[in-house]
Amino acid sequence: MKRIFFLAIFSTLLFSCANKVPRLVLWTDCVDFVSYTELFNSSQDKVKIVAIYKDDLTGSLPPAKNERRPDIIAGAFLRNGMQKKYFSRIDSLFGKNALSKEIFYSSILESGQYKEKQYLLPVSFNLPALVFQTDNYGYVRNAFLSFDDIKEISEKFNKKDGAGAYSAMAFGPHWNPDFLYLFLKNAGVNYVVQDGEFAYTEDAFQNSANSISEWSEQINGGVRNELDFAFNFLYTPFYEQVQSGRSLFAYATSDQIFSLTEDQFKEIDFHWICNDGKIQIEDDALMMGIYSASKNKAAAKKFMLWFMNEDSQKKMLERKFAMKLRTQTFGIAGGFSSMQSVNQNVFPSYYRALMSNVPRSDYLEMPQIFMSDWSYIKSKIIIPFILNSTEESATNAKSLAALYDEYVTEKNASLR
């Protein structure tokens, strides 16, 4: 249905525009760009643009022979595409009367470079956090939460009943597989496919897996206690888990937190997870670039300059709230804006909990470069492997390399 909807919009706009007006095509895996392209088209009459939804952006390149090629591509996991020469250099966007590099978060902007040349502009990103009930501010005094902070606070909060079972448990690392993944990510565990072989930093992985197991054992009496507690008490959405008072923390990302309604957000707050002075940006940070085979590069740059403007992004947020789209997606393209001033000056007007909670640029750390199908690999291969490796009764499961080979074999078979 999404594709049909986008194609209908594309057909309507494509034939209604005057021939002299450049007509751009934007491929994206983020539905918010439909609204943004409509806003851009209504703001001027020099360039027109339409958005086409693609589940797999880089997998759709190059376009089919009978398919209109994109001019702009916006989505997650695009950095790997730079190495395949899918994008044009956009250094000319910076300079006098254009964009200033200072408006962006430096580490995020640099992640769009290849051999010190700019190929992609960052669009949006999300951050990991722990949610808690406002009644528990006494336990949560620091502005950020490190892993050591979480363990120390948990030990003070945990309670057992007369039978020795936990009646209150602050936090269990095994409650959320994404938290386990974050723990390993923060420890420098990287994954890479090189010459068709899957590899990862095994020593860092094993050391981190051991640390997680020790955490569960020392603070919560073991993984089984964490999972039993979750089964008995944590079957509700994350915000309700902390509102019940039985748990202190629930893991969530910024897009999940700020997609809550006002009633759901009632009496809860959050702190970013910041370890070793760094907040790990979520893997699916959105980037935007100009397709190398586009014949409308000058017009594409006009759209990108319009998009990377504080006033434009303010209008995007105004439109979102006016159309009551607040609970569907958070912020700009599903996350924080890549522009510091937008997060600092505009976001707090719409998301009051960010009034004094927008992290500085030097806190943010971009993830490694991933392959375009990383979301699937992470959920179907990496996460199950992490869970097996950190359980008390870990089995001799297949290696990550073997699991990846099976995935590639199945993928290739489906393409035949």
Side-chain angles (χ1 to χ4, degrees):
M1 285 300 293
K2 283 180 179 177
R3 187 164 295 162
I4 294 172
F5 175 65
F6 273 84
L7 287 173
I9 293 176
F10 171 75
S11 300
T12 301
L13 289 178
L14 188 63
F15 293 107
S16 64
C17 296
N19 291 332
K20 294 181 179 180
V21 177
R23 297 170 295 184
L24 303 178
V25 175
L26 182 147
W27 280 9
T28 184
D29 57 9
C30 174
V31 296
D32 287 7
F33 273 91
V34 173
S35 177
Y36 303 154
T37 54
E38 290 174 351
L39 192 60
F40 173 74
N41 290 339
S42 66
S43 70
Q44 46 75 56
D45 57 7
K46 303 297 183 185
V47 178
K48 297 300 176 184
I49 185 169
V50 291
I52 303 294
Y53 182 82
K54 294 283 183 179
D55 287 311
D56 181 8
L57 288 175
T58 55
S60 300
L61 293 171
K65 289 183 179 180
N66 61 343
E67 188 176 24
R68 172 74 188 271
R69 73 183 66 180
D71 299 290
I72 300 172
I73 302 173
F77 306 113
L78 295 186
R79 289 188 288 161
N80 193 46
M82 290 187 297
Q83 299 167 351
K84 300 176 182 178
K85 300 180 181 179
Y86 284 154
F87 298 97
S88 295
R89 282 179 54 183
I90 52 174
D91 300 275
S92 61
L93 287 175
F94 301 97
K96 190 175 181 180
N97 300 323
L99 294 177
S100 167
K101 291 187 176 182
E102 280 66 42
I103 68 174
F104 297 97
Y105 292 89
S106 57
S107 62
I108 306 179
L109 180 64
E110 289 168 6
S111 72
Q113 296 177 357
Y114 183 62
K115 294 185 177 179
E116 299 183 352
K117 306 298 181 183
Q118 199 75 40
Y119 285 84
L120 295 169
L121 282 183
V123 175
S124 63
F125 63 92
N126 279 291
L127 301 173
L130 286 183
V131 173
F132 57 91
Q133 191 178 30
T134 53
D135 286 349
N136 289 318
Y137 275 127
Y139 288 99
V140 190
R141 298 183 182 279
N142 296 336
F144 300 102
L145 288 167
S146 68
F147 297 131
D148 286 339
D149 292 334
I150 301 167
K151 287 189 281 188
E152 182 180 343
I153 294 168
S154 296
E155 203 163 23
K156 296 175 182 176
F157 182 88
N158 286 359
K159 294 182 180 63
K160 293 182 179 180
D161 59 23
Y166 282 90
S167 57
M169 185 179 288
F171 183 74
H174 288 81
W175 289 350
N176 193 312
D178 285 329
F179 179 84
L180 299 178
Y181 175 80
L182 173 68
F183 189 96
L184 270 67
K185 181 178 175 181
N186 200 90
V189 177
N190 289 323
Y191 312 87
V192 65
V193 175
Q194 196 166 28
D195 299 325
E197 298 291 327
F198 189 94
Y200 67 105
T201 44
E202 295 187 46
D203 288 344
F205 185 101
Q206 193 56 56
N207 290 337
S208 298
N210 292 339
S211 296
I212 291 169
S213 298
E214 290 171 7
W215 176 343
S216 296
E217 183 64 37
Q218 293 172 3
I219 305 301
N220 299 322
V223 178
R224 178 45 51 194
N225 282 338
E226 292 179 359
L227 297 179
D228 287 346
F229 187 89
F231 178 80
N232 291 327
F233 304 115
L234 305 182
Y235 44 81
T236 56
F238 70 90
Y239 58 91
E240 291 184 358
Q241 292 171 14
V242 295
Q243 288 170 341
S244 72
R246 287 188 178 274
S247 61
L248 177 58
F249 295 124
Y251 176 82
T253 51
S254 50
D255 55 324
Q256 295 171 324
I257 293 169
F258 291 106
S259 292
L260 297 177
T261 65
E262 288 187 14
D263 284 343
Q264 292 169 341
F265 210 109
K266 200 172 184 179
E267 297 179 351
I268 65 171
D269 202 349
F270 69 94
H271 281 342
W272 306 120
I273 299 174
C274 181
N275 213 62
D276 298 325
K278 294 296 180 182
I279 305 174
Q280 298 290 333
I281 291 173
E282 290 292 292
D283 293 348
D284 57 353
L286 236 68
M287 310 290 282
M288 176 164 57
I290 298 175
Y291 183 46
S292 57
S294 168
K295 294 182 179 180
N296 293 304
K297 291 185 175 67
K301 288 178 182 179
K302 289 180 180 179
F303 174 79
M304 295 177 78
L305 288 170
W306 171 86
F307 191 96
M308 297 302 173
N309 177 276
E310 182 175 327
D311 187 60
S312 297
Q313 296 203 0
K314 183 178 181 181
K315 287 184 171 70
M316 294 175 201
L317 286 169
E318 287 174 351
R319 195 170 199 260
K320 177 195 292 285
F321 278 76
M323 296 176 67
K324 303 187 185 302
L325 298 176
R326 178 184 185 276
T327 58
Q328 294 186 18
T329 55
F330 159 58
I332 299 296
F336 281 106
S337 171
S338 62
M339 298 172 60
Q340 299 187 64
S341 64
V342 173
N343 296 328
Q344 293 165 354
N345 302 331
V346 183
F347 270 50
S349 299
Y350 297 94
Y351 305 100
R352 285 178 292 177
L354 288 174
M355 198 73 71
S356 58
N357 221 349
V358 176
R360 297 198 319 255
S361 178
D362 55 323
Y363 281 103
L364 305 182
E365 185 162 272
M366 277 292 284
Q368 66 174 96
I369 294 176
F370 292 111
M371 55 287 284
S372 59
D373 51 355
W374 180 247
S375 290
Y376 182 91
I377 292 171
K378 175 186 170 184
S379 64
K380 301 299 183 182
I381 299 176
I382 305 295
I383 291 294
F385 187 78
I386 292 173
L387 289 171
N388 181 75
S389 301
T390 57
E391 289 177 357
E392 293 167 329
S393 56
T395 60
N396 294 321
K398 294 179 181 178
S399 68
L400 271 178
L403 291 170
Y404 180 76
D405 287 343
E406 289 179 2
Y407 162 66
V408 172
T409 300
E410 291 175 6
K411 184 179 179 181
N412 290 338
S414 68
L415 296 174
R416 292 190 189 123

